[in-house]
Amino acid sequence: MVDRPMQHETNSRIPVSPQIIFMESRVLEIRHLKTLHALREADSLVEAAERLHLTQSALSHQFKELEERLGMQLFVRKTKPLRFTSAGLRLLQL
């Protein structure tokens, strides 16, 4: 007997629960973690952007996207030096 891979019907619809869609939106990418670590090592968004070879605007957009994906604020804006929230600090431990 030969093992064959399971075939899927192309016309079948697999129900997707709202929980699965929610989980997919919360997936972190490596670039997000690199961005967080650069921000921790820098004193400002501008310095972190320079370390990552990004513009400050691009870095800000990445953080906004990450915070929206996770549904929580990761750092306190308008503070010098930049300060992470408790959620941001927990994420940095990854």
Side-chain angles (χ1 to χ4, degrees):
M1 180 173 204
V2 176
D3 288 335
R4 294 185 183 169
M6 195 160 110
Q7 295 180 358
H8 298 284
E9 292 181 29
T10 56
N11 292 334
S12 67
R13 293 188 180 247
I14 299 172
V16 178
S17 71
Q19 291 85 4
I20 291 173
I21 293 169
F22 179 71
M23 290 296 290
E24 287 177 2
S25 69
R26 294 184 69 161
V27 173
L28 288 178
E29 297 176 20
I30 296 293
R31 69 185 172 103
H32 293 130
L33 293 176
K34 287 180 180 179
T35 300
L36 281 170
H37 286 281
L39 188 57
R40 178 183 60 190
E41 294 172 3
D43 290 330
S44 67
L45 277 174
V46 173
E47 187 181 333
E50 288 173 358
R51 289 177 185 223
L52 294 167
H53 307 287
L54 296 171
T55 64
Q56 186 270 330
S57 177
L59 184 62
S60 292
H61 285 288
Q62 276 190 21
F63 273 112
K64 183 177 179 186
E65 176 195 359
L66 179 58
E67 288 178 327
E68 287 174 356
R69 280 183 181 211
L70 298 174
M72 61 188 74
Q73 187 175 353
L74 299 175
F75 65 96
V76 180
R77 289 161 172 79
K78 312 271 187 209
T79 60
K80 294 232 179 197
L82 195 122
R83 212 169 30 107
F84 283 94
T85 63
S86 59
L89 292 172
R90 283 194 310 269
L91 195 56
L92 279 169
Q93 294 174 354
L94 295 178

